[in-house]
Amino acid sequence: MKTHAGIGMTSQRTRDRLILRLQEQGIKDERVLDVMRKVPRHLFMAEALSSRAYENTALPIGHGQTISQPYIVARMTELLIEDGLPENVLEVGTGSGYQSAILASLIPRVFSVERIRPLQDQAKIVLTDIGFRNISFKHSDGGWGWKACAPFQGILAAAAPTEIPVNLLEQLSIGAKLVIPIGEEGHQVLQRVTRTESAYEVETIEPVSFVPFLKGRA
């Protein structure tokens, strides 16, 4: 990954302040904190918003979508890798590409699906410019997963369905985890699902707020 130090509101000092806030909110995994400190979040949004890049808040990226709050990116990543780093992960919802960059900094292979092609195309440009070569992209309905590349040792979803898509459960390898927000707008919770030999174990983590999980391609 190339380094993009930035100036002013995108400086390393500004990033370090964000890491301190994440720690204060309970993020403990040093691997996640180190990657969050290094990945240049300001490159994944419009230049007009870049001065706010290291605030702990979600920001618009167009097409009715947002770049997730850094705390949520860190928390979901922490939940995914808590028991060890997967060899491959499916990301449902490329979005700005920021979460993709965090995952790809930790995990050898990332497979990212996105239903809105212009968003994914822009994310690919940014991620390639930064130097990521371990991310594969597909323009697709996220609920379909990516069967040809399954099973996955982890799946992370960045949009909230009202119930977990069966395809995603079926594409988990045994022992793998799915981290996903579930529920109607205003009543969403973050869940972690672990596939065992005979069942799916579900943990409810905390209340969250995500864009809805939509079907089809755009």
Side-chain angles (χ1 to χ4, degrees), residues 27-177:
I27 303 299
K28 296 181 176 65
D29 193 308
E30 290 295 338
R31 298 167 297 180
V32 175
L33 291 168
D34 185 54
V35 168
M36 297 285 289
R37 184 181 286 110
K38 291 176 180 175
V39 171
R41 188 172 185 250
H42 61 281
L43 298 181
F44 293 91
M45 59 188 67
E47 193 171 346
L49 290 173
S50 63
S51 65
R52 300 185 61 195
Y54 300 98
E55 295 176 13
N56 191 19
T57 187
L59 293 167
I61 56 172
H63 304 276
Q65 305 298 300
T66 59
I67 182 171
S68 292
Q69 177 190 10
Y71 166 76
I72 289 296
V73 172
R75 186 71 178 116
M76 293 178 75
T77 305
E78 189 174 61
L79 288 165
L80 193 70
I81 68 172
E82 188 172 48
D83 295 333
L85 289 173
E87 286 295 316
N88 68 353
V89 163
L90 173 66
E91 178 190 33
V92 180
T94 311
S96 68
Y98 178 64
Q99 175 76 77
S100 316
I102 299 299
L103 291 172
S105 297
L106 293 162
I107 295 161
R109 291 298 310 277
V110 175
F111 298 86
S112 188
V113 296
E114 170 61 56
R115 63 180 295 273
I116 302 173
R117 186 184 288 278
L119 270 185
Q120 191 174 62
D121 288 346
Q122 177 61 28
K124 286 166 70 173
I125 291 169
V126 176
L127 289 162
T128 300
D129 178 61
I130 295 173
F132 288 102
R133 299 290 183 271
N134 59 331
I135 309 173
S136 300
F137 300 93
K138 185 176 184 181
H139 176 227
S140 177
D141 183 319
W144 300 339
W146 196 335
K147 190 174 182 179
C149 298
F152 299 101
Q153 293 183 12
I155 299 177
L156 186 151
T162 53
E163 56 186 41
I164 300 172
V166 174
N167 286 329
L168 299 186
L169 294 173
E170 292 177 344
Q171 289 174 29
L172 286 170
S173 60
I174 303 301
K177 301 182 186 304

Side-chain angles (χ1 to χ4, degrees), residues 12-27:
Q12 193 61 53
R13 183 181 300 175
T14 308
R15 299 186 204 186
D16 290 341
R17 282 200 296 268
L18 172 61
I19 299 308
L20 182 60
R21 285 195 291 272
L22 295 179
Q23 290 173 313
E24 289 169 348
Q25 285 188 273
I27 303 299

